Amino acid sequence: EPEVTQTPSHQVTQMGQEVILRCVPISNHLYFYWYRQILGQKVEFLVSFYNNEISEKSEIFDDQFSVERPDGSNFTLKIRSTKLEDSAMYFCASNNRLNYGYTFGSGTRLTVV
Amino acid sequence: DQQVKQNSPSLSVQEGRISILNCDYTNSMFDYFLWYKKYPAEGPTFLISISSIKDKNEDGRFTVFLNKSAKHLSLHIVPSQPGDSAVYFCAASVTGNQFYFGTGTSLTVIP
């Protein structure tokens, strides 16, 4: 069964550093997403991406965040200057919009120290 | 953000019986609803969806019911199996892009 692959599985970074979280969506999917889940809290939408541009973003997705699909297969989330409160599990997802059900990756646990 | 609520943090059911997971929402503009299940250390796995033009959708052992007037969504699993033990999330969206998730219900199916 096709999978969404996320790397790394766990990233530790110092406050103020830039991090890039990487994702390889399912190859024939057209819509790509980033969500995050802070420990003990809800899964929260960050951003959706279609046709090489952001289609929707939440209030969380401020100027410190950016997304890119650099080579037609990878989908990245960059946090320019990490804060302690960015510590969370970050999930990438993709779908082909047929039934709106995403396929999620296993997540990257980001720890900002 | 309290737009989607799952008021039961946990549920235990005997194997073979019906599991009923409930979800309430406040935004009447929600048009798309999803259920996911999640195992520890994995991403959520999509189970079933429903749009606001329908009140029921069935896929194998899983049936989702939507009561728009009550702003209530439920997932029925029949018969429940031990492998169904996981955390179940409902999610809702206006546009089909940004989904709002509930806090999850941990289902335990007892063999």
Side-chain angles (χ1 to χ4, degrees), chain B residues 52-66:
Chain B
S52 61
I53 62 173
K54 300 176 77 171
D55 54 19
K56 177 182 174 181
N57 190 24
E58 196 170 347
D59 184 1
R61 296 186 298 115
F62 301 93
T63 303
V64 56
F65 295 92
L66 176 62

Side-chain angles (χ1 to χ4, degrees), chain B residues 7-25:
Chain B
N7 292 317
S8 298
S10 63
L11 175 69
S12 291
V13 172
Q14 289 285 338
E15 181 178 3
R17 306 293 292 269
I18 184 171
S19 295
I20 300 176
L21 299 130
N22 293 304
C23 179
D24 296 296
Y25 60 94

Side-chain angles (χ1 to χ4, degrees), chain A residues 72-95:
Chain A
S73 63
N74 289 283
F75 180 51
T76 61
L77 174 70
K78 182 192 290 186
I79 309 174
R80 287 189 184 83
S81 177
T82 50
K83 304 187 282 285
L84 294 176
E85 53 265 38
D86 293 327
S87 294
M89 181 72 86
Y90 287 80
F91 293 106
C92 172
S94 67
N95 69 356

Side-chain angles (χ1 to χ4, degrees), chain A residues 4 11 22 24 48 65 69 71 76 94 103:
Chain A
V4 173
Q11 172 120 26
R22 302 182 191 280
V24 179
S48 60
F65 291 87
R69 190 156 161 79
D71 56 12
T76 61
S94 67
T103 301

Side-chain angles (χ1 to χ4, degrees), chain A residues 35 42 45 56 97 100 102 105, chain B residues 4 36 43 95 97 99 101:
Chain A
Y35 279 77
K42 292 183 178 184
F45 171 82
E56 196 167 340
R97 208 61 189 272
Y100 303 102
Y102 305 156
Chain B
V4 179
Y36 287 88
T95 64
N97 264 323
F99 276 86
F101 279 71

Side-chain angles (χ1 to χ4, degrees), chain A residues 6-106:
Chain A
Q6 290 187 244
T7 55
S9 57
H10 191 187
Q11 172 120 26
V12 181
T13 188
Q14 289 206 319
M15 189 169 56
Q17 295 295 304
E18 174 183 288
V19 292
I20 298 177
L21 309 182
R22 302 182 191 280
C23 170
V24 179
I26 293 173
S27 59
N28 65 343
H29 283 183
L30 301 175
Y31 298 83
F32 313 112
Y33 309 86
W34 284 100
Y35 279 77
R36 78 174 186 188
Q37 186 177 27
I38 296 171
L39 189 64
Q41 298 187 23
K42 292 183 178 184
V43 176
E44 300 173 294
F45 171 82
L46 293 177
V47 66
S48 60
F49 192 87
Y50 169 72
N51 200 26
N52 284 319
E53 61 183 22
I54 291 173
S55 48
E56 196 167 340
K57 61 182 180 179
S58 71
E59 292 175 355
I60 303 168
F61 195 87
D62 61 21
D63 291 344
Q64 292 299 310
F65 291 87
S66 62
V67 288
E68 196 177 33
R69 190 156 161 79
D71 56 12
S73 63
N74 289 283
F75 180 51
T76 61
L77 174 70
K78 182 192 290 186
I79 309 174
R80 287 189 184 83
S81 177
T82 50
K83 304 187 282 285
L84 294 176
E85 53 265 38
D86 293 327
S87 294
M89 181 72 86
Y90 287 80
F91 293 106
C92 172
S94 67
N95 69 356
N96 53 16
R97 208 61 189 272
L98 287 179
N99 59 12
Y100 303 102
Y102 305 156
T103 301
F104 279 90
S106 295

